[in-house]
Amino acid sequence: MINNRDLSWLNFNNRVLQEAQDKTVPLLQRLRFLGIFSNNLDEFIKVRVANVIRLSQIKGKKVPLFSGNYTPRDLLIKIKSKIAESQLKFDKIYNEIILEMEEHGIYMLNEKQLTKKQEAYCRDYFSRIISPRLVPLIIRKRTAIPFLTDSNIYHAVKMQNKNKEDTKYAIIQIPVSNNCPRFIELPSEKGLNDIIFLDDIIRLCLDHIFFMFNYTEISAYTFKLTRDALLTVDDDVSKSLIEKMEDGLENRMHGQPVRLIYDKEMPEDLLGIIISKLKLKDDDSCEAGERYHLKKDLMKFPKIRPDLEYINPTPLIHNGIKPSSSILTVVKKKDILLNYPYHTFNHFIDFLREAAIDPKVESISITLYRTAEHSKVINALVNAAKNGKRVTAVLELFARFDEEQNVENTELLQKAGVKVIHGADGLKVHSKLVLVERAERKEVKGYVYVGTGNFNESTALVYGDFGLFTAEKAIVADTRRVFDFLENTHKHFQCDRLMVSPYYMRRQFEQLIENEIKNAKKGINAYIYAKFNSLTDENIIKLLYKAADEGVKIRLIIRGACCIKTKSENIKAISIVDKYLEHARLVIFGNGGKEEVFILSADWMTRNLDRRVEVGIPVLDVKVKETLKSFFDIQWSDNVKSRDLNSPDQNSYIERIGDQKNRSQIMLYDFYKKMYEDRDTGCY
């Protein structure tokens, strides 16, 4: 028996909500956690709930059960109940935070609370910034409305006369963008910060928008759609993959609505028209909510009070890498481990930049899944190609919700002369892999980077991830084989050191777990320490149950969905949710006293092990291995931000014994800093 994946994920999102509720978290950071919660939930509904709905609507066919032995219909009921419960909690926390903000002189004003000066400012802002971006849509009973996307919020507008005849209805998209933000700072008295929603400035200026109509009363109410995010790509052989992807993205935009959330004050006649025009048939998909929707925008709340935010320390410079010196020379001598965000991501950027201009570098091969906007990684690859290097980028077009960005990156790279490969047949390429090849003394020397996270300088500031540089010959040879396979997917390959899914990784992990079972039966100290984003693969879980029954000690740090039931004393699981997103993947096997340590791009999920190209690397350097073991021990000792997964629905914090507070994300920064200050220990 295992826990249901979707319900377990909802428990994780509730841990994010706990951070918003935690009074020890800086106030505006708590507001941002609400934005993260909202963003997570939107994606969950688009992807997971939409899938459950599709399966629940199948008639006359046997539908497979979800994990935990749930039927689609039963699971849907359970999911909706948990979402509704969480939403009530969200609204309560949001209102509490708004009141606390007022205690600090930060006021969220609506259009009816403005001073004359503020109202004049808003009307001017509307004329300059908002009005040019507005496209009001008049709703007529007998005509269809233009398509409404789920990435936006809308005002539903009602205009009526005193006699309530000739009532008119309209829809306005609220045009949120970088140039037109959701939150606008208003002129304020000294020591105060007044903020208004973009929504409310539009409400204030409805008379400017609909001046041509005759009415005595006008009002606006927000609503938001969530659509099925299923991306379908046709099999027309006459089209390029890029063309198919662009068509698929267009089709996704027009996915079936799965949820409508609307202002509970919206009049019934206006709501009825919206539901009718959207062709929503299931009443359960319509939810009354508060005045403001799309709360994910809270992640971008103005940084008006640094004292009410987390102030993260500056990422460390690895002391094995000297400023303005060759990273390739360092890696040639020893392996280098980076742990973001404690280390600067600039080391990786500098690695690519050095390879791009080094006359002896012949080629660069890289896998790309998600990159930053205006990516320095992409720029380095473009520069390398312009400098005459052979650059190959295996770029995954099907990186969910980043597909559009990856289409743009494809065009940019190809224009520069980069060879772009769009994944492997039927497989997502999710690995984080780089190979630089350099001519040295009549041979070609290889330099490899294997990571757990994306090559994205923006997320590297807030995502906890590992990256390992190595020039180990066996690893280099394996990496060449992986890239050779990605360029020629029909070609069989075998790796000596690297773990590669979907071909060998599952079997290797199964063998490693079985080895711990054998050792436990012999009375040898046997253990498995693992850190993942998710643990949902049923076969792996069954094998872990078997291992625990035989006496193998299993410690698990799982951020998100965790389907394993800690039914044995030998299985313990925690989840850490803190200011940085825990994204690193790490596994340690006891191996009879000769520990084996791996970092990898994959979670223990079926999709990662069976349907994606993932890469894991064994850590061979003794000192790097010791560093990773210390990392795990520090995280396992967390008694501030870790939750006990033994009772998954409770999200109980780990019980603290004594007065010592161990907050692992703070401790890890101090750990690396001290390591670098103590030169005798070496730096890895």
Side-chain angles (χ1 to χ4, degrees):
M1 187 69 175
I2 66 173
N3 296 320
N4 177 264
R5 168 185 168 178
D6 296 307
L7 300 179
S8 181
W9 186 92
L10 287 170
N11 288 335
F12 152 68
N13 210 31
N14 281 335
R15 295 195 281 278
V16 175
L17 205 54
Q18 284 180 320
E19 290 299 294
Q21 196 174 22
D22 186 347
K23 297 288 182 75
T24 67
V25 175
L27 183 60
L28 295 185
Q29 196 62 44
R30 289 168 61 197
L31 199 65
R32 297 189 201 286
F33 273 115
L34 287 179
I36 295 168
F37 170 91
S38 184
N39 183 64
N40 288 349
L41 187 58
D42 275 355
E43 288 195 8
F44 177 78
I45 292 169
K46 286 182 187 181
V47 179
R48 298 298 303 176
V49 176
N51 181 53
V52 178
I53 290 173
R54 283 196 300 274
L55 292 174
S56 68
Q57 293 171 341
I58 295 175
K59 296 177 181 178
K61 293 181 182 179
K62 190 176 180 180
V63 179
L65 295 176
F66 285 86
S67 55
N69 287 327
Y70 284 94
T71 67
R73 291 181 184 277
D74 289 343
L75 182 58
L76 191 60
I77 292 168
K78 189 77 172 175
I79 285 173
K80 287 186 174 183
S81 173
K82 285 184 79 75
I83 288 175
E85 186 182 324
S86 298
Q87 198 62 54
L88 286 172
K89 191 175 180 181
F90 176 99
D91 293 337
K92 181 175 180 291
I93 296 170
Y94 176 78
N95 291 329
E96 288 172 354
I97 290 174
I98 295 297
L99 289 174
E100 287 183 56
M101 286 165 61
E102 291 178 0
E103 294 173 10
H104 291 272
I106 305 169
Y107 292 88
M108 297 297 301
L109 304 182
N110 63 40
E111 75 279 10
K112 296 178 181 178
Q113 298 170 315
L114 303 174
T115 65
K116 288 183 178 180
K117 183 179 179 181
Q118 289 172 334
E119 182 175 335
Y121 178 88
C122 286
R123 290 188 179 277
D124 177 68
Y125 188 91
F126 176 85
S127 298
R128 291 185 297 106
I129 306 296
I130 303 173
S131 183
R133 295 175 165 85
L134 290 183
V135 184
L137 305 170
I138 302 301
I139 304 175
R140 294 180 174 85
K141 289 183 179 180
R142 295 180 182 176
T143 57
I145 59 172
F147 184 77
L148 306 180
T149 72
D150 68 352
S151 57
N152 297 294
I153 39 172
Y154 298 88
H155 275 320
V157 180
K158 181 177 180 179
M159 295 169 275
Q160 65 180 31
N161 295 310
K162 285 183 179 179
N163 57 12
K164 297 186 179 180
E165 294 180 359
D166 195 28
T167 300
K168 291 183 173 61
Y169 305 98
I171 291 174
I172 305 171
Q173 178 183 313
I174 299 173
V176 180
S177 68
N178 290 335
N179 296 319
C180 188
R182 186 77 184 283
F183 304 99
I184 295 95
E185 297 177 57
L186 296 171
S188 310
E189 294 180 18
K190 190 176 180 181
L192 300 179
N193 297 100
D194 293 335
I195 310 287
I196 190 170
F197 274 89
L198 178 63
D199 320 23
D200 289 330
I201 296 183
I202 295 173
R203 282 192 178 96
L204 175 70
C205 298
L206 288 173
D207 55 339
H208 285 247
I209 304 169
F210 299 102
F211 64 89
M212 71 291 293
F213 294 104
N214 183 27
Y215 57 84
T216 56
E217 187 180 338
I218 187 168
S219 54
Y221 310 87
T222 55
F223 70 93
K224 178 187 176 300
L225 276 173
T226 304
R227 293 184 180 275
D228 188 338
L230 178 69
L231 182 66
T232 55
V233 178
D234 71 40
D235 56 1
D236 185 349
V237 294
S238 68
K239 293 182 180 179
S240 70
L241 185 56
I242 290 289
E243 289 174 319
K244 293 176 184 178
M245 175 59 69
E246 288 172 338
D247 291 345
L249 288 169
E250 182 69 22
N251 292 335
R252 172 192 280 173
M253 287 177 58
H254 291 76
Q256 189 65 28
V258 293
R259 187 188 191 214
L260 170 70
I261 185 165
Y262 58 91
D263 185 341
K264 62 186 176 187
E265 301 297 326
M266 186 182 291
E268 286 189 14
D269 58 330
L270 180 55
L271 176 62
I273 286 174
I274 298 294
I275 290 174
S276 172
K277 293 295 182 183
L278 293 172
K279 298 179 179 178
L280 289 166
K281 297 176 182 178
D282 186 356
D283 293 339
D284 290 342
S285 59
C286 303
E287 299 174 31
E290 299 300 316
R291 180 181 173 97
Y292 306 105
H293 308 307
L294 206 69
K295 293 280 184 56
K296 71 176 185 180
D297 287 334
L298 291 170
M299 292 190 293
K300 296 181 179 180
F301 192 82
K303 294 188 176 184
I304 51 178
R305 289 281 298 275
D307 59 312
L308 300 177
E309 304 262 11
Y310 275 133
I311 300 175
N312 295 327
T314 304
L316 296 165
I317 295 172
H318 194 294
N319 83 338
I321 303 172
K322 305 300 180 187
S324 304
S325 64
S326 169
I327 295 178
L328 295 177
T329 301
V330 175
V331 176
K332 189 175 181 178
K333 296 175 182 176
K334 64 179 181 180
D335 293 358
I336 293 287
L337 175 73
L338 299 175
N339 187 185
Y340 314 115
Y342 313 107
H343 292 112
T344 177
F345 192 73
N346 286 340
H347 290 322
F348 179 76
I349 301 293
D350 290 342
F351 168 71
L352 289 181
R353 285 173 172 168
E354 180 183 344
I357 62 174
D358 185 337
K360 292 184 179 180
V361 168
E362 296 181 348
S363 67
I364 302 170
S365 300
I366 187 170
T367 58
L368 296 171
Y369 195 75
R370 303 186 197 275
T371 58
E373 273 190 272
H374 313 297
S375 169
K376 294 177 182 178
V377 172
I378 298 295
N379 288 343
L381 297 174
V382 166
N383 191 37
K386 288 180 177 178
N387 282 326
K389 315 299 182 189
R390 293 194 314 275
V391 183
T392 302
V394 183
L395 193 152
E396 179 52 68
L397 281 179
F398 292 88
R400 184 176 284 141
F401 304 123
D402 272 15
E403 297 97 342
E404 200 167 346
Q405 177 75 57
N406 286 350
V407 169
E408 290 175 10
N409 284 341
T410 294
E411 293 170 356
L412 191 64
L413 291 167
Q414 286 178 334
K415 280 181 183 177
V418 174
K419 182 180 181 180
V420 178
I421 299 167
H422 289 129
D425 292 342
L427 301 169
K428 271 192 182 183
V429 180
H430 187 251
S431 55
K432 324 298 179 185
L433 192 62
V434 183
L435 171 64
V436 170
E437 297 190 287
R438 188 174 187 268
E440 298 178 14
R441 296 181 180 180
K442 298 181 180 180
E443 68 169 346
V444 177
K445 180 79 174 176
Y447 299 85
V448 170
Y449 176 98
V450 180
T452 68
N454 294 306
F455 301 132
N456 185 322
E457 59 269 28
S458 299
T459 57
L461 293 169
V462 289
Y463 281 29
D465 272 305
F466 297 123
L468 183 67
F469 289 112
T470 184
E472 167 66 35
K473 286 186 177 181
I475 300 294
V476 171
D478 280 354
T479 305
R480 287 192 181 114
R481 293 183 185 110
V482 173
F483 278 110
D484 194 26
F485 163 76
L486 290 171
E487 289 194 57
N488 308 278
T489 53
H490 62 280
K491 197 167 183 177
H492 179 78
F493 74 104
Q494 179 73 50
C495 287
D496 295 325
R497 289 287 191 173
L498 291 181
M499 283 184 165
V500 183
S501 71
Y503 303 105
Y504 312 110
M505 186 178 285
R506 175 183 289 281
R507 188 171 73 238
Q508 285 169 294
F509 274 128
E510 288 173 351
Q511 288 172 348
L512 286 161
I513 297 169
E514 290 283 5
N515 184 54
E516 294 302 314
I517 294 172
K518 288 177 185 176
N519 285 337
K521 288 179 176 179
K522 293 175 184 176
I524 299 170
N525 186 28
Y527 53 87
I528 302 168
Y529 302 156
K531 174 180 171 63
F532 289 107
N533 296 320
S534 297
L535 169 57
T536 62
D537 183 79
E538 200 161 336
N539 289 336
I540 291 287
I541 290 171
K542 286 178 180 176
L543 202 52
L544 291 174
Y545 285 154
K546 180 182 174 184
D549 290 341
E550 295 294 345
V552 179
K553 304 293 182 187
I554 299 169
R555 291 180 175 177
L556 302 168
I557 304 174
I558 311 296
R559 185 195 81 222
C562 181
C563 293
I564 197 167
K565 289 183 178 288
T566 52
K567 60 177 187 176
S568 166
E569 279 296 311
N570 290 326
I571 303 177
K572 297 190 182 300
I574 65 171
S575 176
I576 297 171
V577 178
D578 199 350
K579 61 180 180 176
Y580 303 134
L581 180 90
E582 296 292 341
H583 193 256
R585 290 96 165 187
L586 166 68
V587 194
I588 302 170
F589 295 93
N591 193 36
K594 298 178 180 178
E595 287 178 318
E596 294 206 56
V597 180
F598 301 84
I599 64 169
L600 59 158
S601 60
D603 289 308
W604 275 349
M605 300 179 72
T606 306
R607 71 182 188 193
N608 296 99
L609 298 173
D610 296 344
R611 299 192 298 275
R612 291 185 173 188
V613 179
E614 307 273 12
V615 173
I617 184 171
V619 178
L620 305 177
D621 187 284
V622 174
K623 290 186 176 179
V624 175
K625 194 180 286 189
E626 287 299 322
T627 298
L628 287 167
K629 286 164 58 184
S630 296
F631 170 95
F632 190 93
D633 289 342
I634 289 169
Q635 288 226 308
W636 190 255
S637 74
D638 195 306
N639 59 14
V640 177
K641 293 295 185 180
S642 62
R643 280 72 158 183
D644 188 350
L645 295 184
N646 292 340
S647 302
D649 288 333
Q650 304 301 314
N651 281 333
S652 304
Y653 287 87
I654 293 292
E655 185 179 353
R656 189 181 303 147
I657 300 171
D659 297 328
Q660 185 170 332
K661 294 183 179 180
N662 297 331
R663 187 176 173 185
S664 59
Q665 291 188 354
I666 303 295
M667 294 169 67
L668 281 167
Y669 185 88
D670 293 340
F671 166 75
Y672 290 115
K673 189 177 179 184
K674 186 177 184 301
M675 181 189 292
Y676 296 164
E677 289 170 350
D678 186 358
R679 295 183 180 275
D680 292 336
T681 64
C683 303
Y684 293 85

